[in-house]
Amino acid sequence: QVELVESGGGLVQAGGSLRLSCVASGSTSSTYAMAWFRQAPGKEREIVATINSIGVSTYYADSVKDRFTIFRSNLPTTLYLHMNNLEPEDTAVYYCAASRRTTPRLGDREYDYWGQGTQVTVSS
């Protein structure tokens, strides 16, 4: 079993930056692919970024490419999302997710563990 706990959300003005963190507990969590998803009010949950188990392969949604950076560290396994040049359209609840696969997938059904979510609000 893996528990994911996010932190770092908040209110920021457009153009600002935030860093989200997600600490994973569980003895095998360092071998899991991980990802950030987000869900805005009235919209479906969408992929933001993924990273493989060893942190060398990443994927970004087009909407966040060149603005967001996903990275991870191990011992303990911690997933990060550094968000620059935030836009009001980035306002959402952000979720950390982990997959028992070492290579990440893009669909939320491919992930086995989820954090509770952290709110990010970007004001214009």
Side-chain angles (χ1 to χ4, degrees):
Q1 188 70 18
V2 174
E3 183 180 14
L4 304 175
V5 179
E6 300 114 331
S7 61
L11 173 64
V12 64
Q13 288 188 330
S17 299
L18 280 176
R19 176 179 286 190
L20 306 183
S21 301
C22 171
V23 179
S25 64
S27 60
T28 59
S29 60
S30 63
T31 66
Y32 292 178
M34 299 186 75
W36 289 99
F37 288 79
R38 67 185 182 186
Q39 187 167 21
K43 295 187 177 181
E44 294 187 353
R45 187 161 54 189
E46 64 176 1
I47 188 77
V48 175
T50 69
I51 191 166
N52 70 345
S53 60
I54 58 174
V56 297
S57 177
T58 58
Y59 162 87
Y60 296 93
D62 287 343
S63 59
V64 306
K65 201 172 292 183
D66 298 327
R67 297 189 299 122
F68 290 10
T69 302
I70 187 171
F71 56 102
R72 67 187 290 166
S73 62
N74 289 331
L75 300 177
T77 299
T78 306
L79 181 70
Y80 301 94
L81 184 69
H82 191 79
M83 306 183 291
N84 286 326
N85 195 20
L86 283 160
E87 303 168 351
E89 293 73 21
D90 296 317
T91 295
V93 177
Y94 283 70
Y95 296 92
C96 169
S99 168
R100 286 190 287 266
R101 294 184 175 91
T102 58
T103 300
R105 301 291 191 270
L106 301 184
D108 58 2
R109 295 183 180 183
E110 305 291 340
Y111 290 81
D112 305 292
Y113 306 101
W114 292 85
Q116 80 286 358
T118 185
Q119 176 71 47
V120 172
T121 303
V122 184
S123 63
S124 57

